Amino acid sequence: MQGGGRTGARPALAAALVLGVAALLVVVLRTPWDVLPAPAGGRTVPDPTAGLDADQVARAEAFAAALRPASLLSLLLGLVVSALLGLTRLGSGLLRAVGDRVGGRWWAQVLLGVPALLLAGRLVTLPVSAYAEVVRHRYGLSTRSWGLWLRDVVVSLAISAALTALVVLAVLWLIRRAPRTWWAWSGVAAVGLVVVGSFLYPVVIEPAFNRFESLPAGELRSDVFALAEENGTPVRDVLVSDASRRTTALNAYVSGFGSTRRVVLYDTLLDRLPDEEIESIVAHELGHVATDDVLTGTLMGALGAGAATALAGWLLSWGPLLRRAGADSPGDPRVVPLVLFLVTVGGLVGTPVQNVVSRQIEARADVQALDLTRDPEAFIAMQRRLASTNLGDPDPPTAWHWFFGSHPTVAQRIAMAEDWQRLEDQR
Ligand SMILES: [Zn+2]
C-alpha cells in the first residue's frame, strides 16, 4: 500500500480489523445457535417434500428452476457492470459527462453522477427483472400490472439514487475536509445511518409502496391482541398491508424498533387462512418482538457498516486502485464509481453472513411461536399452506440455501415443529 502515513491508511486498516472482529464476535455471541434441544431418539430428519403432494412439489421446483438462473444472472450482471464502471475509466467518464453539463463542480458531478451510474446498472439488469416478473405472472404469484411494476422500479431506483447520492456527497465532503481521518467520521456516520434508517424504514420507505390499515375489529383482532398480551409484548396495533395489489403470496413481518415497531400482515392472509393458522404466523412475529430481533439485526449491520467503511478508507488510500478508476486522490469525484463498486462487493460478501444469522433468528421465532400457541398442528398446516401458495421450494439446493436462504427451509421448519411436539410428549 502506498502513502500509508500521509492518508491515514494504517489506522484505517487497524480500525477495520478491530471493528470486523467486534462484528464477528457480536454475531457469534448474539446469534441463537441452538434454539431447541434434541428430543430423546435424535432430531427428526426433514422430509424433503415437507408433506406436500407430488404436484405441489413439482410446481414449486419448476418455479424455482425458472427463477434461480435469473437471480444469479442479475447478481452477476450487477457485479460486472459495477466492476466495469468502478475499475475502469468508464464510470468516471460517465460521471464527468453528466457533471460537465452543469459546470463540472465536484458536488454537481456527485449529485448527478450517482443517479446516472445507478441508472446504468439498473438498465442492464432490467430485462432480467422483467423476465422474473413474467415467470411470477405465469405461475399466478404476481398480480401486478406492468404499469405498477414499472412504477415500483422507478420509485425504488429514485429512492436509492437520492439516498446514495446524498451519502456519497457527505463522504466526499469529509474526504476533502479531513483527508486523514474521513474514514473514521464516515464510519461513525455509517453506524448512525444504519440505526436511523432501520428505525425510520417503516414510516418513510414502506408507505412509498404500500398502504396500511389496522386489522379490522373482530374475533381475529381480539385473539391476536390476547396472544400479544400473553407473550408479554403488548402491541398498540396490528397492521394489514395492501399486498394483494402486487402478489398472491402469503406473508407477515415485523419492522422498525422502539416507537416505529409494527407487526404487519399481508391482506392476502385474511380471507384465505383459518384463524388458528394466522395466529401461528402472528405468534412467530411476536417471537421477533419478544427478543427485539430487528434491533439485534440493526446493531450487527451497524457494526458491519462501520468496519466496511474503515476498510474502504484503507482501500481508497491505495494509489494503483485509484488510478485504475481514473481518480487522482480519494477526494476526486471520479472515485465515486469505485466507491459504488466497493459497496456492491461489500453487499455480496455480507449476504451469506446476514442469512446465516437470519436463519437462526427465524428458527428461534418459530420455537417462540410454538411455545406461545402450543399448536404445532396449525403451525405445520400454515407452513405447508405458505409453501404451496408462495411456491416455496421445500428443499432447495444446499449451496443456494446457504447463500440466499433467510429462513430455514419449509422441510426444516416442519421437522422442528415435530421435534417440539416430541419434546412435549417426552416431558
Ligand atoms: Zn420471521
Side-chain angles (χ1 to χ4, degrees):
M1 290 274 157
Q2 302 275 312
R6 222 160 44 87
T7 52
R10 273 204 200 134
L13 181 59
L17 287 174
V18 169
L19 285 171
V21 169
L24 201 68
L25 269 179
V26 171
V27 163
V28 169
L29 296 175
R30 295 287 301 158
T31 302
W33 297 109
D34 192 15
V35 296
L36 190 72
R43 292 186 198 280
T44 302
V45 178
D47 166 8
T49 70
L52 300 176
D53 64 43
D55 281 353
Q56 289 171 318
V57 174
R59 195 170 152 75
E61 280 177 352
F63 178 69
L67 273 192
R68 268 186 211 122
S71 307
L72 274 186
L73 183 61
S74 175
L75 206 76
L76 206 68
L77 278 176
L79 189 64
V80 167
V81 171
S82 168
L84 274 177
L85 292 172
L87 296 179
T88 72
R89 293 174 181 229
L90 268 177
S92 51
L94 177 63
L95 197 84
R96 289 196 75 138
V98 286
D100 284 348
R101 294 174 170 273
V102 287
R105 307 282 279 273
W106 73 268
W107 50 267
Q109 288 191 34
V110 172
L111 282 182
L112 292 179
V114 168
L117 291 163
L118 292 184
L119 177 64
R122 192 67 188 93
L123 286 177
V124 172
T125 54
L126 200 61
V128 187
S129 304
Y131 162 79
E133 184 70 3
V134 169
V135 172
R136 284 190 292 264
H137 268 288
R138 197 188 300 149
Y139 280 84
L141 203 58
S142 176
T143 54
R144 237 181 341 190
S145 66
W146 284 101
L148 183 57
W149 177 81
L150 194 62
R151 181 253 179 219
D152 285 349
V153 168
V154 171
V155 171
S156 308
L157 183 64
I159 291 175
S160 77
L163 293 177
T164 311
L166 289 176
V167 169
V168 173
L169 187 75
V171 172
L172 258 274
W173 180 79
L174 277 168
I175 294 178
R176 297 163 81 93
R177 286 292 297 254
R180 284 172 200 227
T181 54
W182 68 268
W183 55 269
W185 303 114
S186 305
V188 172
V191 169
L193 264 184
V194 170
V195 175
V196 171
S198 172
F199 178 76
L200 289 180
Y201 190 83
V203 281
V204 176
I205 307 294
E206 286 179 14
F209 297 93
N210 286 103
R211 269 165 225 252
F212 299 90
E213 278 172 12
S214 297
L215 182 62
E219 205 182 318
L220 180 63
R221 186 180 166 91
S222 355
D223 286 352
V224 162
F225 275 67
L227 212 54
E229 204 68 51
E230 200 187 320
N231 193 44
T233 51
V235 290
R236 276 187 294 267
D237 201 3
V238 171
L239 300 177
V240 178
S241 79
D242 60 347
S244 57
R245 285 177 64 215
R246 293 183 171 79
T247 183
T248 54
L250 308 168
N251 206 357
Y253 64 90
V254 183
S255 57
F257 54 86
S259 60
T260 65
R261 185 175 67 201
R262 66 224 14 237
V263 175
V264 177
L265 305 179
Y266 276 24
D267 58 356
T268 46
L269 291 172
L270 295 189
D271 316 322
R272 285 162 40 204
L273 260 68
D275 280 7
E276 66 270 18
E277 289 180 27
I278 298 181
E279 282 161 29
S280 268
I281 293 176
V282 172
H284 168 100
E285 303 308 331
L286 291 173
H288 286 311
V289 173
T291 35
D292 235 338
D293 292 341
V294 175
L295 189 59
T296 305
T298 301
L299 294 178
M300 287 180 185
L303 262 181
T309 309
L311 190 63
W314 180 59
L315 287 171
L316 292 183
S317 68
W318 193 18
L321 189 62
L322 288 180
R323 281 193 290 281
R324 183 161 270 287
D328 302 326
S329 70
D332 182 342
R334 284 175 294 181
V335 83
V336 169
L338 176 60
V339 171
L340 294 182
F341 170 64
L342 294 178
V343 171
T344 305
V345 173
L348 214 58
V349 172
T351 301
V353 180
Q354 210 176 326
N355 282 335
V356 164
V357 176
S358 173
R359 286 194 294 273
Q360 294 305 121
I361 285 179
E362 295 299 339
R364 174 172 65 187
D366 279 352
V367 172
Q368 287 167 314
L370 291 163
D371 288 344
L372 186 59
T373 61
R374 311 195 62 76
D375 190 354
E377 267 175 45
F379 181 90
I380 291 172
M382 173 272 281
Q383 288 295 340
R384 288 198 180 121
R385 194 184 300 268
L386 260 61
S388 67
T389 308
N390 299 356
L391 299 175
D393 186 347
D395 189 37
T398 309
W400 182 273
H401 185 65
W402 177 79
F403 194 91
F404 292 102
S406 60
H407 290 61
T409 67
V410 178
Q412 290 166 341
R413 298 177 86 170
I414 290 176
M416 200 170 69
E418 286 167 358
D419 283 347
W420 185 93
Q421 181 63 67
R422 284 170 57 205
L423 282 165
E424 283 297 304
D425 296 344
Q426 289 166 10
R427 222 163 247 180

